[in-house]
Amino acid sequence: MSEPAFNHEALLQAVRDLPVDSLTASRRDAANLFVARGFPTVRDEDWKYTDLSNVIEISQQSLQVASAPAAIDEDLLRQTQANLDAHWIVIANGKVLEQHSPGTNIPGVQSGSLQKTDLAIDEPLADLNLALLRDGLKLDICAEFAPDKPLGLLFIDTVENAVASTHARVNISLERNANARIVEAHVSSGPAQHYSNCVLHLDLAEGAVCEYLRLQDRATNHSQTARLNVSLKRDSSLHHGSFDLGGRLTRNDLNVAIQGRNATARFNGLYIVADGQHVDNHTKVDHLVGPAISQQEYRGVLSGHCRAVWNGKAIVHKGADGTDATQANHNLLLSDAAEIDAKPELEIDADDVKCAHGTTVGQLDERALFYLRARGISKPDAKRILTRAFAATIVNTSPISEAHEFLGGQVEERLRTIDDGRQS
Amino acid sequence: MLDIKDLQARIGETEILRGLTLNVKAGEVHAIMGPNGSGKSTLAQVVAGHEDYEVTGGSVQFKGKDLLELAPEERAREGIFLGFQYPVEIPGVNNAYLLKAAVNAKRQHQGLDEIDAFEFLKLAREKMALLEMDPKFLNRGVNEGFSGGEKKRNEILQMAMLEPDLAILDETDSGLDIDALKAVANGVNALRSPDRAIILVTHYQRLLDYIEPDFVHVLSAGRIIRSGDKSLALELEKKGYEWVREAANA
């Protein structure tokens, strides 16, 4: 398949048209780097199953449309904030909305703009993100940070009739022994197509502890690529939970670099993928030193004509002895037209390591179905119960426990849509 | 209550039940014994409605209804309970949730309102005490990480909550230590009543020391080859299954 042509000259012009500020030189460098490499294609090993044609088209068209961004969907904003209690920072169509962002002003958080030194990520979509970045946010979280509720990052995109794309970037640093709970939510609305390109960086200094919940519930005609790069120093600990419930095409790259001894990275994910959706989770953990622990479990429920990808890579570098790395990916396929490409990868260059991985792809357990039916529960109800139980395992072990009820409700709503689709 | 006539069933191409006839009346306890592969578990699964088994001949009437016409869930709601030989672990489904859903499915079938939450808890705790089960098992995933004995007690708990007309207990004694066996037997004996029938499927006589059957049947190659009272079980224990088979062939 040939990718749609992307007009690099239009990109360079768009970058030149952005207001001059401290990032101007970095944007131009990034634009040149991007132009040299272009969008990833299915010929790239890491993008084998995710075709960005639609994203390229949206990017191209949104460069040509000079219209101002649409007004923010205030209802969606309020609803999201009501559902998840947090000290919010709202990034609307790529710009921080000061009046909706009390989270930048709570004790223990220092917020500022991204500087040139904060920006280096060697990856084409990160280059594109930087080239078109309007507002980069930097959050430093101090050890005294101890709010009553999580810090929230709400990415909200609204479109009307014009195709649009958004490039947002946030760097979060937890200083030594800081303890932070963070919620990252992505929502969108509007009839036109939209592409969101998010790049986040999370640094945990020595002894820092972070619970991090990411929820993506964008409109099913909107696409997103999102990268989170994490670095973990000695004795730090990250518990990350990732939920993909919406979106047309979603690609997540979660890269974790374990740079200090006794660091722990635990990350779980759930994707519920229905007709017409595509969700790709690529995770990579670099164990640079040991001992350290990384554990991940992703689960997916797939229905209708859809595709999901899970690629979990753990690299145990030379000398990272005492590494304990486990990866698991389980998928429930509720339709014959659903496709999952699941691939665990282990590269081990150290001697004293404990690594395990497992993936499963299948239907509901027939034995469990019969067991429930033998207790008087109807077949459709038994299927519903087992599908929910499959997903609940991830909800119940995800970070930010006070969000579990809301998450469970969202998951239930998505699964109910799938149930309805299957009955018709 | 249960009237099985000339029942034939197979799984895939393998014939397992080859003309089994059994009549069970309310108030009776029947023990079905037999060597491995004789069709004991198949009989239990076919009566419960497992779809892997194909019934190729004969009939099964339950309380005057054609049981073979009913889906497994309809059989359960009509009052049939199968205690599984290998209870299934279902992580993510709370034990209390399953119990309540099962009780309510039956109540709905009977035209009754859903069970009150307080009433449910009271009843569950009462039954668990009888089975010497820790109430914390209510909040665990169904059979998740349970020991063999805990799984079997959990089966009997479900039975006690559902109060079936006919309980078929498939190898409920297998893998139980003596304390668990006694607890399970207590649970079963507590349910004995003139309105209820129980079928114990077992390989060994041991269970019958604790739950005294009215009838004992020996199954071999998919047919009942001998029936008697509880003394038959003792005789089997002494002489082995080969003795009945030879006697039947003679």
Side-chain angles (χ1 to χ4, degrees):
Chain A
M1 192 193 305
S2 70
E3 292 79 31
F6 183 70
N7 185 340
H8 288 137
E9 200 39 57
L11 171 68
L12 295 171
Q13 187 57 48
V15 174
R16 281 193 290 271
D17 289 346
L18 286 171
V20 173
D21 60 20
S22 63
L23 291 182
T24 296
S26 305
R27 284 197 196 95
R28 291 181 183 174
D29 290 347
N32 287 325
L33 274 175
F34 179 78
V35 166
R37 290 195 283 195
F39 279 95
T41 74
V42 291
R43 290 182 298 278
D44 297 309
E45 187 59 30
D46 277 350
W47 292 87
K48 201 170 164 184
Y49 303 111
T50 296
D51 179 355
L52 287 177
S53 295
N54 176 247
V55 163
I56 297 171
E57 264 170 49
I58 297 170
S59 300
Q60 177 69 38
Q61 286 179 38
S62 58
L63 286 177
Q64 287 159 348
V65 190
S67 65
I72 282 306
D73 182 342
E74 298 270 351
D75 287 344
L76 181 59
L77 177 66
R78 267 193 300 273
Q79 195 193 325
T80 309
Q81 293 187 326
N83 287 333
L84 283 164
D85 199 14
H87 295 285
W88 287 108
I89 297 168
V90 175
I91 299 176
N93 291 338
K95 299 269 288 180
V96 177
L97 276 191
E98 296 293 346
Q99 75 274 27
H100 286 287
S101 299
T104 54
N105 282 318
I106 50 172
V109 177
Q110 281 179 356
S111 67
S113 295
L114 283 178
Q115 301 306 311
K116 198 177 169 189
T117 48
D118 303 320
L119 303 166
I121 295 175
D122 179 23
E123 196 271 330
L125 294 176
D127 288 335
L128 180 66
N129 169 284
L130 176 52
L132 293 168
L133 188 67
R134 286 159 181 272
D135 209 359
L137 181 66
K138 186 176 176 177
L139 298 169
D140 290 314
I141 296 178
C142 313
E144 53 270 31
F145 176 76
D148 49 336
K149 50 193 178 186
L151 185 64
L153 286 171
L154 174 53
F155 296 85
I156 178 166
D157 294 309
T158 313
V159 283
E160 280 156 6
N161 295 314
V163 169
S165 57
T166 302
H167 300 269
R169 188 180 279 233
V170 180
N171 282 17
I172 306 168
S173 303
L174 271 65
E175 71 167 40
R176 198 172 166 169
N177 296 327
N179 190 328
R181 297 166 359 107
I182 300 169
V183 175
E184 173 195 331
H186 297 266
V187 293
S188 72
S189 64
Q193 296 197 77
H194 184 272
Y195 164 54
S196 147
N197 179 0
C198 263
V199 175
L200 287 97
H201 206 115
L202 178 64
D203 277 310
L204 269 62
E206 286 181 11
V209 176
C210 185
E211 273 188 64
Y212 197 111
L213 175 65
R214 174 190 160 276
L215 171 64
Q216 181 275 114
D217 196 9
R218 285 165 56 85
T220 49
N221 55 334
H222 293 169
S223 294
Q224 183 175 56
T225 60
R227 162 173 298 274
L228 172 61
N229 281 12
V230 181
S231 66
L232 299 178
K233 301 293 191 300
R234 210 184 71 202
D235 298 322
S236 65
S237 163
L238 170 70
H239 181 194
H240 187 271
S242 182
F243 289 79
D244 281 291
L245 305 179
R248 175 179 173 179
L249 177 148
T250 305
R251 160 71 179 236
N252 299 311
D253 280 278
L254 174 58
N255 285 12
V256 179
I258 295 184
Q259 299 169 341
R261 291 159 58 88
N262 297 317
T264 303
R266 185 172 159 221
F267 43 106
N268 293 347
L270 177 68
Y271 40 94
I272 299 176
V273 195
D275 214 30
Q277 290 183 293
H278 179 110
V279 176
D280 177 348
N281 277 292
H282 266 64
T283 68
K284 182 177 151 207
V285 184
D286 278 287
H287 281 270
L288 298 160
V289 293
I293 298 170
S294 72
Q295 283 179 346
Q296 67 166 310
E297 178 170 351
Y298 275 69
R299 290 190 172 206
V301 179
L302 282 70
S303 78
H305 190 86
C306 73
R307 190 169 196 173
V309 182
W310 175 83
N311 191 113
K313 189 188 277 189
I315 305 169
V316 185
H317 293 257
K318 198 161 187 228
D321 292 319
T323 289
D324 182 347
T326 55
Q327 307 168 298
N329 174 237
H330 302 294
N331 298 283
L332 195 53
L333 264 60
L334 300 176
S335 102
D336 293 338
E339 182 175 340
I340 170 77
D341 299 286
K343 187 177 171 195
E345 291 183 77
L346 276 174
E347 287 174 30
I348 303 174
D349 243 337
D351 299 322
D352 173 25
V353 298
K354 205 171 102 189
C355 292
H357 62 75
T359 62
T360 60
V361 175
Q363 329 284 317
L364 291 170
D365 179 359
E366 288 292 337
R367 288 163 51 249
L369 266 182
F370 178 63
Y371 189 76
L372 293 179
R373 295 179 73 192
R375 297 296 173 256
I377 295 164
S378 72
K379 194 173 179 180
D381 281 345
K383 284 185 170 178
R384 273 194 278 272
I385 289 170
L386 293 177
T387 307
R388 276 146 187 78
F390 177 83
T393 312
I394 297 296
V395 175
N396 296 338
T397 56
S398 70
I400 319 282
S401 55
E402 67 264 39
H404 286 186
E405 197 181 335
F406 171 66
L407 273 179
Q410 294 297 100
V411 167
E412 171 63 28
E413 197 174 293
R414 286 298 292 155
L415 291 176
R416 207 179 297 141
T417 317
I418 289 175
D419 293 337
D420 294 346
R422 289 166 81 202
Q423 274 157 14
S424 61
Chain B
M1 178 175 291
L2 181 73
D3 194 14
I4 303 176
K5 280 201 183 107
D6 192 29
L7 183 63
Q8 293 148 52
R10 65 179 181 193
I11 186 162
E13 293 300 304
T14 315
E15 303 278 348
I16 301 181
L17 300 182
R18 304 161 194 241
L20 186 143
T21 295
L22 176 67
N23 193 280
V24 178
K25 293 190 178 65
E28 295 176 350
V29 175
H30 291 242
I32 308 261
M33 302 185 71
N36 290 329
S38 58
K40 302 189 299 291
S41 282
T42 297
L43 173 63
Q45 299 273 328
V46 167
V47 173
H50 198 295
E51 287 163 351
D52 283 355
Y53 297 91
E54 187 194 349
V55 174
T56 51
S59 67
V60 182
Q61 299 268 318
F62 177 64
K63 297 192 295 188
K65 285 187 183 161
D66 182 357
L67 196 67
L68 300 176
E69 287 293 305
L70 303 180
E73 54 269 35
E74 294 168 323
R75 300 181 194 199
R77 292 175 206 157
E78 282 288 334
I80 288 182
F81 178 88
L82 170 64
F84 282 64
Q85 181 179 5
Y86 302 110
V88 183
E89 294 196 19
I90 315 182
V93 178
N94 184 285
N95 217 15
Y97 178 87
L98 168 61
L99 279 175
K100 206 187 275 178
V103 167
N104 283 332
K106 187 168 178 186
R107 288 177 68 96
Q108 192 188 16
H109 182 69
Q110 293 167 332
L112 299 172
D113 285 342
E114 291 201 348
I115 190 166
D116 169 80
F118 178 76
E119 196 63 26
F120 168 79
L121 213 59
K122 189 171 153 244
L123 194 65
R125 284 172 186 275
E126 203 176 279
K127 305 291 187 192
M128 290 178 100
L130 177 72
L131 292 163
E132 294 164 38
M133 272 178 94
D134 190 324
K136 72 172 192 278
F137 279 99
L138 276 181
N139 297 318
R140 300 217 351 217
V142 174
N143 295 320
E144 187 183 4
F146 287 21
S147 72
E150 287 162 352
K151 283 181 183 170
K152 295 299 171 74
R153 283 181 214 227
N154 204 31
E155 292 294 288
I156 303 303
L157 171 65
Q158 293 174 17
M159 176 181 80
M161 293 293 288
L162 289 167
E163 302 188 323
D165 296 324
L166 171 68
I168 306 165
L169 303 177
D170 189 5
E171 306 266 3
T172 291
D173 50 331
S174 67
L176 294 190
D177 63 31
I178 194 71
D179 291 336
L181 185 67
K182 281 182 182 164
V184 162
N186 274 342
V188 176
N189 285 327
L191 222 71
R192 286 183 83 151
S193 97
D195 307 325
R196 192 167 285 139
I198 297 169
I199 298 176
L200 303 168
V201 172
T202 180
H203 191 78
Y204 300 105
Q205 191 270 337
R206 187 177 72 145
L207 177 69
L208 309 181
D209 289 340
Y210 299 94
I211 310 170
E212 210 172 284
D214 302 303
F215 301 94
V216 174
H217 310 277
V218 179
L219 202 58
S220 176
R223 284 187 4 247
I224 288 175
I225 53 168
R226 188 158 177 157
S227 296
D229 60 15
K230 62 178 181 181
S231 64
L232 176 58
L234 290 168
E235 209 169 346
L236 275 173
E237 186 80 352
K238 235 181 287 165
K239 300 184 180 170
Y241 286 114
E242 213 40 50
W243 157 73
V244 219
R245 264 201 295 247
E246 278 162 17
N249 289 337

